[in-house]
Amino acid sequence: MASEETAKPRRADAQRNYDKLLAAAREIFREHGAQASLDDIAKRAGVGPGTLYRHFPTRDDLIDAVMREWSEDVDSDSDEVIAAGLDAQETLRTWFGKFVENIGVYRGAAAKVMSAMDDESSPIYRKCQVLVGANDKVLTHLAGRGELRDGVDSREVMRLVSGIATVADQSHLSVDESTPMLDIVIQGILRDPSAP
Amino acid sequence: MASEETAKPRRADAQRNYDKLLAAAREIFREHGAQASLDDIAKRAGVGPGTLYRHFPTRDDLIDAVMREWSEDVDSDSDEVIAAGLDAQETLRTWFGKFVENIGVYRGAAAKVMSAMDDESSPIYRKCQVLVGANDKVLTHLAGRGELRDGVDSREVMRLVSGIATVADQSHLSVDESTPMLDIVIQGILRDPSAP
DNA sequence: ACCTGAACACCGTTCAAGT
DNA sequence: ACCTGAACACCGTTCAAGT
């Protein structure tokens, strides 16, 4: 298997360390959440703390790298959901459900995404744009079929759903336990079936 | 003016320190949020760090004390809103708006409330119950007039609104900027005007 | 009973020395 | 160009000594 990132050219040992750090970060973030000790990550990767800082100057840079493949998964989910041809309500349930589930893999990630959405200076900002774009695709698809209420802004919906993901994360709710909240949002953005 | 808390009897100097700590915490939490340095609070209060820990064994105990009057304000807001005799939509807008505004006074407080709501072991849990109760009063009032959709659970609504407050807090949104999200939730829980 | 502040522990961050 | 790890800084927490 090739190295994790195909990005810029690095010395072989640097690339190896980069990969080990990323793998260690994934493990430790999964175990202890996105606030885990960076020192532990360096230890698990078997490198000095300085090496971690060389590759990832801030915690968010490390989180950003960990999120890369993950945000691509979310994006492809949005295409699948649209292609599935479900009705509007089921489309949103599936899409929001997958979103909350995916973002919940790393504890603390939902809060990071939530606050990075409106912060261009955050290293995670661009990754958030992928998520915002994916959500916009789904909502635009439904809007094109006249299924949404007037004035629904996909950005606000994204904020709401990432807020729900954060609630689910911090209150240790399962995906099932977050559906009542998601259903309220869905009712709030879908046009009434009784309308002309 | 009397001392801040009428609770248990304390030695005069202890009570003075308690009050100074609480005043300092309010100031510093307001300036730097609920994650501010506890050492700074002790310094501002002019006491040793050990004294802070004697009165408030954990950060959450301190937050809890700071929140006391504040949660009472929220509770009385709910009564005022009910008494105001507004229509359902305006009732919810006013109530949710006040809630988000109040909880936003201390940065980081919204996230604390959010996660303490489902955690009985949290020192803030009881304070959260006051908020949950206040919200339940407002929703029960509307439900009694048949204005809510069937199956709306006030607990889920509370989770959602505290999630919105957290989004607003962490993304530095003004109260105005959080109304679009609140409106979606309001649409989601109000019965359709067109229903029989 | 309560206060103080030195002391400890933990962890993030830097940087001089080394390859 | 990159790595190492000692060193520093900051802050939460404890506790022996004092009143």
Side-chain angles (χ1 to χ4, degrees):
Chain A
M1 190 171 63
S3 57
E4 292 275 355
E5 296 295 324
T6 50
K8 53 184 162 185
R10 266 184 276 247
R11 235 168 53 177
D13 57 343
Q15 182 66 49
R16 228 182 320 115
N17 282 335
Y18 183 98
D19 293 348
K20 284 196 288 186
L21 280 166
L22 211 49
R26 264 193 264 269
E27 284 181 29
I28 296 210
F29 281 165
R30 227 177 261 272
E31 291 165 20
H32 302 102
Q35 334 290 339
S37 161
L38 296 179
D39 215 48
D40 285 354
I41 293 175
K43 278 200 191 91
R44 172 97 44 121
V47 304
T51 304
L52 190 153
Y53 282 91
R54 161 160 277 268
H55 288 292
F56 307 102
T58 73
R59 178 185 293 272
D60 280 1
D61 285 308
L62 182 54
I63 293 176
D64 180 67
V66 167
M67 275 189 172
R68 187 152 302 178
E69 61 179 39
W70 171 82
S71 69
E72 286 163 6
D73 286 352
V74 173
D75 187 48
S76 67
D77 278 350
S78 71
D79 294 326
E80 283 176 30
V81 166
I82 291 171
L86 304 166
D87 68 26
Q89 179 159 324
E90 274 308 310
T91 298
L92 290 175
R93 277 198 179 145
T94 309
W95 164 239
F96 290 158
K98 286 195 177 198
F99 185 87
V100 171
E101 192 171 3
N102 262 305
I103 211 176
V105 170
Y106 302 103
R107 267 177 296 143
K112 285 280 181 191
V113 166
M114 195 177 77
S115 54
M117 248 188 68
D118 293 291
D119 176 14
E120 295 185 32
S121 72
S122 165
I124 315 179
Y125 179 72
R126 288 178 165 270
K127 217 109 298 168
C128 287
Q129 293 307 96
V130 175
L131 306 181
V132 169
N135 181 60
D136 196 56
K137 269 192 288 182
V138 175
L139 291 194
T140 302
H141 171 246
L142 293 176
R145 303 192 331 205
E147 312 245 38
L148 297 188
R149 291 180 199 265
D150 296 335
V152 169
D153 179 354
S154 80
R155 192 166 187 78
E156 301 294 342
V157 175
M158 181 86 274
R159 283 200 181 118
L160 255 173
V161 175
S162 67
I164 292 173
T166 306
V167 173
D169 186 13
Q170 304 223 8
S171 299
H172 307 104
L173 304 179
S174 67
V175 185
D176 282 357
E177 288 170 314
S178 61
T179 50
M181 286 185 280
L182 293 173
D183 279 343
I184 289 174
V185 172
I186 291 170
Q187 292 268 32
I189 65 179
L190 281 185
R191 191 184 289 283
D192 301 336
S194 54
Chain B
M1 189 173 61
S3 56
E4 292 273 355
E5 296 294 323
T6 50
K8 53 186 164 186
R10 268 183 276 248
R11 236 168 56 177
D13 57 345
Q15 183 65 49
R16 227 181 322 113
N17 282 335
Y18 183 97
D19 292 347
K20 283 195 289 185
L21 281 166
L22 211 49
R26 264 193 265 270
E27 282 181 30
I28 295 211
F29 281 164
R30 226 177 262 273
E31 291 166 18
H32 300 101
Q35 333 291 336
S37 160
L38 296 180
D39 216 48
D40 285 353
I41 293 175
K43 278 199 191 93
R44 171 100 42 125
V47 304
T51 304
L52 190 155
Y53 282 90
R54 160 161 278 269
H55 288 292
F56 307 102
T58 73
R59 178 185 293 272
D60 280 2
D61 286 308
L62 182 54
I63 293 176
D64 181 67
V66 168
M67 277 189 173
R68 187 150 303 177
E69 61 179 38
W70 171 82
S71 69
E72 285 162 8
D73 285 350
V74 174
D75 187 49
S76 67
D77 277 349
S78 70
D79 294 327
E80 282 176 29
V81 166
I82 291 172
L86 304 167
D87 68 25
Q89 178 159 324
E90 273 308 311
T91 298
L92 290 176
R93 275 199 179 145
T94 309
W95 165 239
F96 290 158
K98 285 197 177 196
F99 185 86
V100 171
E101 191 171 5
N102 263 305
I103 210 176
V105 171
Y106 302 103
R107 268 178 296 145
K112 286 281 181 191
V113 165
M114 195 178 77
S115 54
M117 248 189 67
D118 292 292
D119 177 13
E120 296 185 30
S121 71
S122 167
I124 315 177
Y125 180 72
R126 288 180 165 270
K127 216 111 299 170
C128 287
Q129 291 308 96
V130 174
L131 306 181
V132 169
N135 181 60
D136 196 56
K137 267 191 291 184
V138 175
L139 291 194
T140 302
H141 171 247
L142 293 178
R145 301 192 331 205
E147 312 244 39
L148 297 189
R149 290 180 199 267
D150 296 333
V152 169
D153 180 354
S154 80
R155 192 167 186 75
E156 301 295 341
V157 175
M158 181 87 273
R159 283 200 182 117
L160 255 174
V161 175
S162 67
I164 291 172
T166 306
V167 173
D169 185 12
Q170 305 223 6
S171 299
H172 309 104
L173 304 179
S174 67
V175 186
D176 281 357
E177 288 170 315
S178 61
T179 50
M181 287 185 279
L182 292 173
D183 279 343
I184 290 175
V185 172
I186 291 170
Q187 291 271 32
I189 64 179
L190 281 184
R191 192 184 289 282
D192 300 334
S194 54

